[in-house]
């Protein structure tokens, strides 16, 4: 997420096997058609981002869903969740009581897809290049706590950390720590274009039109050695401009599986009017949506302005009227289903109140109405985003305390502008990199944060985040995370809006549906198969 940017609600629809006459699929090695998966994710090469699929650069859910199929990591989170287990490694463990030294041994005979051996030096090289490239939009923050990387022979790598970090095995399970080849990935610059090569379960071949990916064919990697069991020979990822086009392709049986992003209306219709042969299942969903603030911008520099916005936003109305059954109100950066969650925003602000908001502004000497623009991306978070931001504008302007406009921008321009600090207030989303409360706090509050935010909390960065990472038992860190959530509710560098729900809809013909999307909304295409006819 993530990490990553949010695309919600994520609803997966699985239909019958693709008919040859419906077109477009390659045959698997066993003669069966490739499983075809639809998505509205877009991968575009631009001047700002010529290397969208480089593990050192790409830090959003759609990109990671390509990387997870192709680039192997030392560890991975097992299909049912829980603590990470070895993947490219045969064993990994902390070697000290302080959780500052982590040792992994590689599997015997591990190779890249072209047959080149994978060594401990390749692991060191891959992770160091992410740190050295230090992309302001990339996942370097996940690896920032690494002090040095040591190798011993061809199969042993030891990570020495700057401070204790019980979450480090989770970070090694993300594509940020993906293993790449020196010959194909420059040490200090991105690999431009859309090709991805690694030692993962699949090789990939992108189809490109006008500097944009329209299709990716994943083919089982015959050299793959790891912990994953690959249950198919080929999967084709088809990219659609919007949910409507993807839905039409599903109806026409041109795709087998519809992933991100289905519109709330489509999801609601499937819930209310089930179709014969299709089962809709709600699965764990950990994605969140939020407003973020440039805390140096004159319009929202005052904490009182941000607090007043927090005081009047009606999350229940947004979730209920815009997203229906696919979202619920969120009063913290940490979702309600994650250990350590507390309703810090509700505890501080209670129900929406214009009177209280006016008092906050008056006490701070802020003249009203406060003018600013709400920015959102038109093509990244699904078709309901525009409706959500119109509703937010209406809520804020109805108080008389704000004079708000809204502006939508395509993601290819939106994300670079957001990183540059062009927007005072803007909408974003988050899929977790791993299901731990640390991944809902550190990416927004720590140094090298995901938003490139100017906001800083010395207490969070210097004390609370390091303190939370010392706890092997994550439940023991709950009080620390409560303090972090309370800081966010008081300073409001970000404003949580809603938490998404995740669904999988399936028809007879495909197997492994229940494992094809995990709680972090990661695609696990290797889990899909076809039932015997």
């Amino acid at each position: 997420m993530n990490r990553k940017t949010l695309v919600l609600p994520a609803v997966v629809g699985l239909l019958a096997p693709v008919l040859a006459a419906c077109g477009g699929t390659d045959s698997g090695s066993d003669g069966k058609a490739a499983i075809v998966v639809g998505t509205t994710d877009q991968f575009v090469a631009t001047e700002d981002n010529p290397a969208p699929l480089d593990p050192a650069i790409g830090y959003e859910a759609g990109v990671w869903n390509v990387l997870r199929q192709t680039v192997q990591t030392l560890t991975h989170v097992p299909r049912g969740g829980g603590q990470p287990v070895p993947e490219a490694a045969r064993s990994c463990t902390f070697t000290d009581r302080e959780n500052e030294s982590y040792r992994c041994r590689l599997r015997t005979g591990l190779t890249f897809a072209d047959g080149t051996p994978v060594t401990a030096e390749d692991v060191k090289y891959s992770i160091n290049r992410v740190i050295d490239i230090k992309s302001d939009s990339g996942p370097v923050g996940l690896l920032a706590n690494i002090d040095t990387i040591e190798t011993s022979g061809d199969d042993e790598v030891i990570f020495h950390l700057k401070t204790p970090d019980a979450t480090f095995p989770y970070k090694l399970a993300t594509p940020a720590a993906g293993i790449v080849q020196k010959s194909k990935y420059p040490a200090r610059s991105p690999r431009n274009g859309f090709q991805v090569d690694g030692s993962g379960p699949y090789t990939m071949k992108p189809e490109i039109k006008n500097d944009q990916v329209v299709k990716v064919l994943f083919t089982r990697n015959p050299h793959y050695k790891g912990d994953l069991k690959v249950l198919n020979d080929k999967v084709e990822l088809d990219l659609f401009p919007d949910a409507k086009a993807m839905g039409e392709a599903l109806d026409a049986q041109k795709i087998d599986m519809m992933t991100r992003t289905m519109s709330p209306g489509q999801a609601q219709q499937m819930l209310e009017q089930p179709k014969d042969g299709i089962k809709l299942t709600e699965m764990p969903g950990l994605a969140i949506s939020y407003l973020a603030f440039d805390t140096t911008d004159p319009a929202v520099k005052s904490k009182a302005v941000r607090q007043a916005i927090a005081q009047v936003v009606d999350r229940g109305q947004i979730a209920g009227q815009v997203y229906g059954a696919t979202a619920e109100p969120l009063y913290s950066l940490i979702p309600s289903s994650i250990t350590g969650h507390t309703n810090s925003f509700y505890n501080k602000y209670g129900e929406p109140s214009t009177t209280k908001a006016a008092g906050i502004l008056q006490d701070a000497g802020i003249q009203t109405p406060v003018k600013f623009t709400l920015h959102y991306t038109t093509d990244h978070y699904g078709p309901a985003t525009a409706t959500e931001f119109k509703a937010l504008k209406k809520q804020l302007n109805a108080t008389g305390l704000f004079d708000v406009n809204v502006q939508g921008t395509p993601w290819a321009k939106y994300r670079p502008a957001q990183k540059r600090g062009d927007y005072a207030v803007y909408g974003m989303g988050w899929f977790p990199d791993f299901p731990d409360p640390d991944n809902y706090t550190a990416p927004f509050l720590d140094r090298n944060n995901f938003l490139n935010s100017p906001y800083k909390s010395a207490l969070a960065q210097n004390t609370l985040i390091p303190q939370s990472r010392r706890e092997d038992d994550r439940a023991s860190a709950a009080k620390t995370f409560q303090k972090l959530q309370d800081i966010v509710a008081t300073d409001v560098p970000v404003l949580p809006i809603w938490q998404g729900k995740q669904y999988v809809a399936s028809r007879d013909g495909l197997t492994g549906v229940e494992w094809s999307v995990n709680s972090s909304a990661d695609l696990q295409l290797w889990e899909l198969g076809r039932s015997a006819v």
Side-chain angles (χ1 to χ4, degrees):
M1 243 272 261
N2 162 321
R3 117 188 136 87
K4 301 177 302 213
T5 50
L6 166 69
V7 185
L8 264 187
V11 181
V12 182
L14 305 178
L15 289 185
V18 175
L19 301 177
C22 293
T25 61
D26 294 295
S27 295
S29 60
D30 59 357
K32 293 183 180 180
I35 295 169
V36 185
V37 175
T39 180
T40 59
D41 287 325
Q42 302 296 308
F43 311 128
V44 183
T46 65
E47 184 176 349
D48 288 315
N49 185 15
L53 296 181
D54 189 316
I57 306 298
Y59 194 29
E60 54 187 85
V63 171
W64 276 23
N65 278 340
V66 172
L67 295 177
R68 286 190 184 279
Q69 320 308 316
T70 49
V71 177
Q72 200 172 14
T73 51
L74 289 171
T75 62
H76 80 108
V77 177
R79 56 153 54 167
Q83 294 290 323
V85 298
E87 213 294 73
R90 69 176 186 267
S91 65
C92 285
T93 187
F94 280 106
T95 60
D96 66 329
R97 294 183 178 180
E98 297 299 320
N99 294 336
E100 288 184 313
S101 182
Y102 195 72
R103 182 189 306 264
C104 291
R105 290 182 172 86
L106 297 180
R107 292 179 184 271
T108 302
L110 197 68
T111 70
F112 291 105
D114 64 3
T116 303
V118 175
T119 68
E121 281 296 329
D122 292 311
V123 176
K124 179 178 178 179
Y125 175 86
S126 301
I127 294 178
N128 275 338
R129 75 180 290 271
V130 178
I131 297 170
D132 291 340
I133 291 172
K134 199 177 180 179
S135 168
D136 61 2
S137 63
V140 64
L142 289 170
L143 308 176
N145 194 35
I146 296 174
D147 187 15
T148 59
I149 304 175
E150 176 187 353
T151 61
S152 177
D154 286 339
D155 68 345
E156 187 172 84
V157 57
I158 305 100
F159 300 91
H160 300 287
L161 307 182
K162 298 173 185 176
T163 59
D165 186 2
T167 71
F168 188 66
Y170 282 106
K171 294 169 182 174
L172 286 184
T174 70
I179 307 168
V180 299
Q181 288 174 272
K182 295 180 182 179
S183 61
K184 297 179 179 179
Y185 289 83
R188 295 184 178 273
S189 61
R191 179 184 181 177
N192 292 354
F194 300 104
Q195 186 58 46
V196 180
D197 295 283
S199 56
Y202 296 98
T203 60
M204 63 88 79
K205 181 179 179 181
E207 182 177 321
I208 314 299
K209 290 183 181 178
N210 300 321
D211 293 324
Q212 183 168 347
V213 177
V214 295
K215 186 180 298 184
V216 181
L217 180 64
F218 295 105
T219 303
R220 183 202 292 258
N221 174 12
H223 294 285
Y224 171 70
K225 290 185 179 181
D227 194 51
L228 305 176
K229 184 177 181 181
V230 184
L231 301 177
N232 56 66
D233 290 311
K234 290 189 178 183
V235 180
E236 181 180 287
L237 187 69
D238 286 5
L239 280 64
F240 293 89
D242 52 44
K244 182 175 183 292
M246 184 168 58
E248 291 172 349
L250 184 66
D251 292 339
Q253 294 187 332
K254 292 182 178 179
I255 61 176
D256 297 299
M257 173 169 161
M258 183 161 67
T259 63
R260 307 144 33 98
T261 301
M262 199 174 199
S263 72
Q266 288 172 316
Q268 193 71 32
Q269 184 176 25
M270 294 185 71
L271 286 167
E272 296 175 354
Q273 300 175 9
K275 296 180 180 180
D276 290 342
I278 297 177
K279 180 182 178 181
L280 190 67
T281 305
E282 182 177 335
M283 304 176 72
L286 300 177
I288 67 172
S289 181
Y290 58 94
L291 292 180
F293 300 90
D294 179 352
T295 54
T296 63
D297 189 281
V300 293
K301 183 177 181 178
S302 170
K303 179 169 63 177
V305 173
R306 306 192 300 271
Q307 289 178 333
I309 294 171
Q311 183 64 73
V312 298
V313 167
D314 189 338
R315 297 167 177 81
Q317 184 185 70
I318 297 295
Q321 295 185 8
V322 178
Y323 293 98
T326 62
E328 57 188 16
L330 180 64
Y331 297 93
S332 167
L333 276 175
I334 301 175
S336 58
S337 51
I338 293 287
T339 299
H341 164 84
T342 185
N343 287 320
S344 293
F345 274 87
Y346 191 85
N347 294 342
K348 183 172 182 62
Y349 300 100
E351 295 295 332
S353 171
T354 299
T355 301
K356 289 182 181 179
I360 293 171
L361 295 172
Q362 183 176 357
D363 290 345
I366 303 296
Q367 291 187 339
T368 57
V370 179
K371 295 183 179 182
F372 60 86
T373 297
L374 283 173
H375 291 270
Y376 70 93
T377 177
T378 57
D379 59 353
H380 196 68
Y381 296 148
T385 308
T387 305
E388 175 183 351
F389 275 74
K390 288 178 182 177
L392 285 168
K393 172 186 174 180
K394 184 176 181 181
Q395 287 182 6
L396 292 167
N397 287 347
T399 66
L401 302 174
F402 302 98
D403 182 1
V404 175
N405 292 315
V406 295
Q407 168 138 18
T409 304
W411 180 253
K413 294 182 179 180
Y414 183 85
R415 177 66 165 138
Q418 176 267 311
K419 289 185 297 179
R420 288 194 303 265
D422 292 355
Y423 304 149
V425 189
Y426 54 93
M428 293 288 281
W430 184 254
F431 275 120
D433 304 318
F434 49 89
D436 186 277
D438 176 81
N439 199 236
Y440 291 93
T441 49
F444 304 99
L445 302 177
D446 210 352
R447 298 170 182 85
N448 299 313
N449 64 78
F450 165 69
L451 295 173
N452 197 29
S453 171
Y455 170 79
K456 289 180 175 61
S457 166
L459 177 59
Q461 291 182 354
N462 300 332
T463 302
L464 297 179
I465 291 174
Q467 181 177 308
S468 73
R469 290 172 174 169
R470 292 179 181 273
E471 300 289 351
D472 287 318
D473 179 1
R474 304 308 288 152
S476 298
K479 290 184 179 180
T480 303
F481 284 114
Q482 180 177 341
K483 293 177 182 178
L484 285 166
Q485 291 167 90
D486 289 345
I487 287 174
V488 174
T490 298
D491 292 349
V492 200
V494 295
L495 177 62
I497 303 295
W498 52 265
Q499 174 182 347
K501 296 181 181 180
Q502 185 171 241
Y503 295 89
V504 169
S506 60
R507 190 191 287 274
D508 294 342
L510 287 181
T511 60
V513 175
E514 65 274 26
W515 306 114
S516 63
V517 184
N518 67 15
S519 63
S520 298
D522 297 324
L523 282 179
Q524 301 179 143
L525 298 180
W526 54 86
E527 297 283 2
L528 294 173
R530 296 195 189 278
S531 60
V533 178

